[in-house]
Amino acid sequence: QVQLVESGGGLVQPGGSLRLSCAASGSIGGIYSMGWYRQAPGKQREWVAFISHGGITNYVDAVKGRFTISRDNLKNTVWLQMNSLKPEDTAVYYCNTYPIRPAYWGQGTQVTVSS
């Protein structure tokens, strides 16, 4: 079965940066379009960023200009570089394919932005 493992979260001050990683078992991450998603306490999970197999990207308006999604198809890894972080970015961040495959949800990685 496909497994996606997120890492790289942590506590950061407003304005700081974090780089999240998503490691995919097998070659799924290198074949399919991928996305980052997040869920803040008391809120619905939302889509954050998209990247196609060929590197086409898109972002939710709230993170445009601050976040960058990238991938290495040979390593089956997807990253999310997060700059100029804001408290409202606090959430558990997940990766998945795009469109989502519900069975692929992992545990996510916690990002907390606080002074």
Side-chain angles (χ1 to χ4, degrees), residues 7-107:
S7 63
L11 175 64
V12 65
Q13 296 184 70
S17 298
L18 285 172
R19 192 190 194 205
L20 308 183
S21 296
C22 171
S25 64
S27 62
I28 297 297
I31 296 174
Y32 299 101
S33 296
M34 299 292 293
W36 283 96
Y37 310 82
R38 67 186 181 186
Q39 186 167 28
K43 297 183 179 180
Q44 300 180 69
R45 182 150 49 195
E46 65 174 346
W47 165 78
V48 176
F50 160 90
I51 186 165
S52 74
H53 176 74
I56 302 297
T57 61
N58 200 9
Y59 306 88
V60 68
D61 286 346
V63 309
K64 286 182 178 178
R66 300 189 297 118
F67 290 10
T68 303
I69 187 171
S70 60
R71 69 190 297 167
D72 184 327
N73 292 338
L74 293 179
K75 293 184 176 182
N76 297 319
T77 301
V78 182
W79 295 274
L80 185 67
Q81 178 67 47
M82 306 186 297
N83 299 326
S84 301
L85 283 162
K86 304 175 180 180
E88 50 262 48
D89 295 319
T90 296
V92 178
Y93 283 71
Y94 304 86
C95 62
N96 207 312
T97 55
Y98 191 103
I100 291 168
R101 292 171 168 80
Y104 291 0
W105 290 121
Q107 294 299 310

